[in-house]
Amino acid sequence: MRRIGFHNREKEIKEIKNLLDAEPSLITFVYGPINSGKTALIKHLIEQLPDDYVIFYINLRTKFLASYDDFVESLFEMELETEETNRKRKETLKELISSITKVTGIPINREFLDYVFKDKKPKNAFSYIIKLFEAVRDSGKQPVLVLDELQKIGDVKVNGPLIYELFNFFIDLTKELHLAHVFVISSDSLFIERVYSEAMLEGRCRYLLVDDFDCETATTFLEKHGFSDDEKATAWEYCGGKPVCLIEVVNSEKKEDKAKEMLMIRISEMKTILKRVKELGSEICIEDKSYSVRYAELIDALKHFAEREVIDIDEMDEISTTFLVKKNVLFVDPVRGVIKPQSRLNLHAIRELMN
Ligand SMILES: Nc1ncnc2c1ncn2[C@@H]1O[C@H](COP(=O)(O)OP(=O)(O)O)[C@@H](O)[C@H]1O
Ligand SMILES: [Mg+2]
């Protein structure tokens, strides 16, 4: 079996290691287009870190999150009560962290769990985590909390929206207590846009873009996998620097045909999206209000990419932007104030359709 090793990301790795060297003070939001390699980067980095970092990594991607209880459940990992652990139950935090490995969910036992669920108060869950992290720090290690695909908690509410409780908790962990590094990862640029305009986070977080590979990085990746000059050019032309896409080409026998096939599929998907809006109309919700999506405006919006690869956020109307981002056609970068297609494949598909 062919295994594709991790490629590059030296700049991003250096930047994150640098952050980890300093006392925790800000929340770090890691964002970028879908499948740009955010999760892969963090996982690769975790492997490289020395043992004195304890990383609590929680990926919400596959979790079912309809309620507060679902969220709390997704955070914690129950200590399994096997016969052996029954004899030697882990009762204190110190005992709980004794079995912690470098990467872990948040360990908890039955008693603490009862406390955490009690009265549906996020405060209980958070004060437990703070105590646990303090115990980790007292053992001479640095806790790091990583929440992947955080946008999945959506509009789960406990009194108010859970997300605000969480942001406050992250601020406690970083800026107030300097207790743990906090990384929040998301592919959802609408979520990052919300975060970016959130007053309570101002001056309390930083943003790290993990974009598709640039041309040079993609080229060295393809060279590693024995691509000829022509194959490299075609792969870049169609896939740009999207790692999954490049891997798909690396793994196929007829590289050029594969690239062309991927473009054809994307064109046909996008055609369907536009056809449905044209014939059936569509609605989109922005800040709890519903708006109709207009076909003519979508087309005008997409035409911006006929000549350019990146446009300014102000150049496109909010409804079209939101719709096209939700359909994974476009990616908004609120930090740089720009909109661009989710990938080079999407850029080509847009151009084909606008012709
Ligand atoms: N630096 C890299 N080197 C090799 N493969 C990568 C790299 N980054 C991403 N990939 C591949 O691309 C896939 C998608 O990346 P992922 O990290 O899941 O994207 P994201 O989390 O940004 O949506 C991964 O499963 C991995 O196979
Ligand atoms: Mg991911």
Side-chain angles (χ1 to χ4, degrees), residues 4-9 31-42 44 57 59 61 148-149 185-187 210 212-213 217 221 224-225 242-245 247:
I4 308 266
F6 187 82
H7 183 64
N8 198 293
R9 293 297 186 199
Y31 74 109
I34 37 169
N35 288 326
S36 68
K38 298 174 286 300
T39 300
L41 165 67
I42 291 290
H44 177 76
Y57 175 84
N59 195 336
R61 192 173 60 85
D148 206 338
E149 302 294 358
I185 309 174
S186 183
S187 285
V210 176
D212 293 345
F213 294 151
T217 311
F221 177 77
K224 252 194 334 207
H225 295 285
K242 180 84 69 201
V244 260
C245 204
I247 290 171

Side-chain angles (χ1 to χ4, degrees), residues 167-233:
F167 288 159
N168 264 321
F169 171 54
F170 296 158
I171 294 169
D172 270 351
L173 286 176
T174 52
K175 188 171 172 276
E176 301 299 326
L177 302 169
H178 307 290
L179 176 59
H181 292 282
V182 177
F183 291 87
V184 174
I185 309 174
S186 183
S187 285
D188 180 342
S189 54
L190 297 173
F191 174 75
I192 295 295
E193 257 195 305
R194 257 181 66 200
V195 165
Y196 192 70
S197 57
E198 181 51 61
M200 76 182 284
L201 288 173
E202 215 189 308
R204 289 159 169 175
C205 61
R206 62 168 84 83
Y207 298 89
L208 184 78
L209 173 65
V210 176
D211 210 340
D212 293 345
F213 294 151
D214 59 21
C215 186
E216 198 191 326
T217 311
T219 305
T220 54
F221 177 77
L222 296 170
E223 265 160 19
K224 252 194 334 207
H225 295 285
F227 275 48
S228 68
D229 284 347
D230 281 351
E231 287 169 338
K232 272 189 296 192

Side-chain angles (χ1 to χ4, degrees), residues 120-286:
K120 292 205 191 307
K121 282 194 184 136
K123 242 194 220 147
N124 294 354
F126 299 156
S127 74
Y128 169 74
I129 296 174
I130 286 180
K131 292 241 151 52
L132 184 82
F133 284 4
E134 279 169 351
V136 170
R137 194 178 54 186
D138 293 346
S139 75
K141 297 185 176 196
Q142 172 63 60
V144 180
L145 176 63
V146 183
L147 277 166
D148 206 338
E149 302 294 358
L150 182 67
Q151 80 284 349
K152 274 215 65 186
I153 71 160
D155 47 14
V156 171
K157 296 207 168 54
V158 263
N159 301 322
L162 174 60
I163 195 84
Y164 292 113
E165 304 273 350
L166 262 175
F167 288 159
N168 264 321
F169 171 54
F170 296 158
I171 294 169
D172 270 351
L173 286 176
T174 52
K175 188 171 172 276
E176 301 299 326
L177 302 169
H178 307 290
L179 176 59
H181 292 282
V182 177
F183 291 87
V184 174
I185 309 174
S186 183
S187 285
D188 180 342
S189 54
L190 297 173
F191 174 75
I192 295 295
E193 257 195 305
R194 257 181 66 200
V195 165
Y196 192 70
S197 57
E198 181 51 61
M200 76 182 284
L201 288 173
E202 215 189 308
R204 289 159 169 175
C205 61
R206 62 168 84 83
Y207 298 89
L208 184 78
L209 173 65
V210 176
D211 210 340
D212 293 345
F213 294 151
D214 59 21
C215 186
E216 198 191 326
T217 311
T219 305
T220 54
F221 177 77
L222 296 170
E223 265 160 19
K224 252 194 334 207
H225 295 285
F227 275 48
S228 68
D229 284 347
D230 281 351
E231 287 169 338
K232 272 189 296 192
T234 312
W236 170 258
E237 186 48 35
Y238 282 87
C239 302
K242 180 84 69 201
V244 260
C245 204
L246 294 171
I247 290 171
E248 186 74 6
V249 176
V250 167
N251 284 333
S252 60
E253 247 164 71
K254 294 187 173 163
K255 306 195 176 336
E256 305 218 340
D257 291 353
K258 185 75 203 172
K260 286 175 187 160
E261 178 195 300
M262 285 193 288
L263 176 61
M264 237 170 51
I265 293 172
R266 193 58 185 141
I267 290 174
S268 116
E269 286 166 347
M270 239 183 254
K271 254 188 194 158
T272 309
I273 293 172
L274 292 173
K275 184 170 182 286
R276 296 190 77 122
V277 175
K278 190 175 180 186
E279 290 176 18
L280 311 173
S282 183
E283 304 246 301
I284 194 143
C285 193
I286 304 175

Side-chain angles (χ1 to χ4, degrees), residues 84-116:
E84 203 215 336
T85 51
N86 250 339
R87 252 183 287 127
K88 265 177 47 196
R89 288 270 285 282
K90 292 178 178 150
E91 271 158 15
T92 64
L93 287 175
K94 214 168 157 196
E95 282 161 354
L96 266 174
I97 65 164
S98 66
S99 57
I100 271 180
T101 49
K102 200 172 82 178
V103 192
T104 173
I106 296 173
I108 197 161
N109 61 15
R110 175 61 56 200
E111 288 91 300
F112 285 125
L113 200 67
D114 288 343
Y115 165 72
V116 153

Side-chain angles (χ1 to χ4, degrees), residues 65-87:
L65 297 172
S67 68
Y68 173 66
D69 285 358
D70 291 339
F71 172 68
V72 172
E73 253 171 52
S74 72
L75 282 186
F76 297 107
E77 244 165 52
M78 256 309 263
E79 274 292 315
L80 287 179
E81 289 178 11
T82 57
E83 240 173 72
E84 203 215 336
T85 51
N86 250 339
R87 252 183 287 127

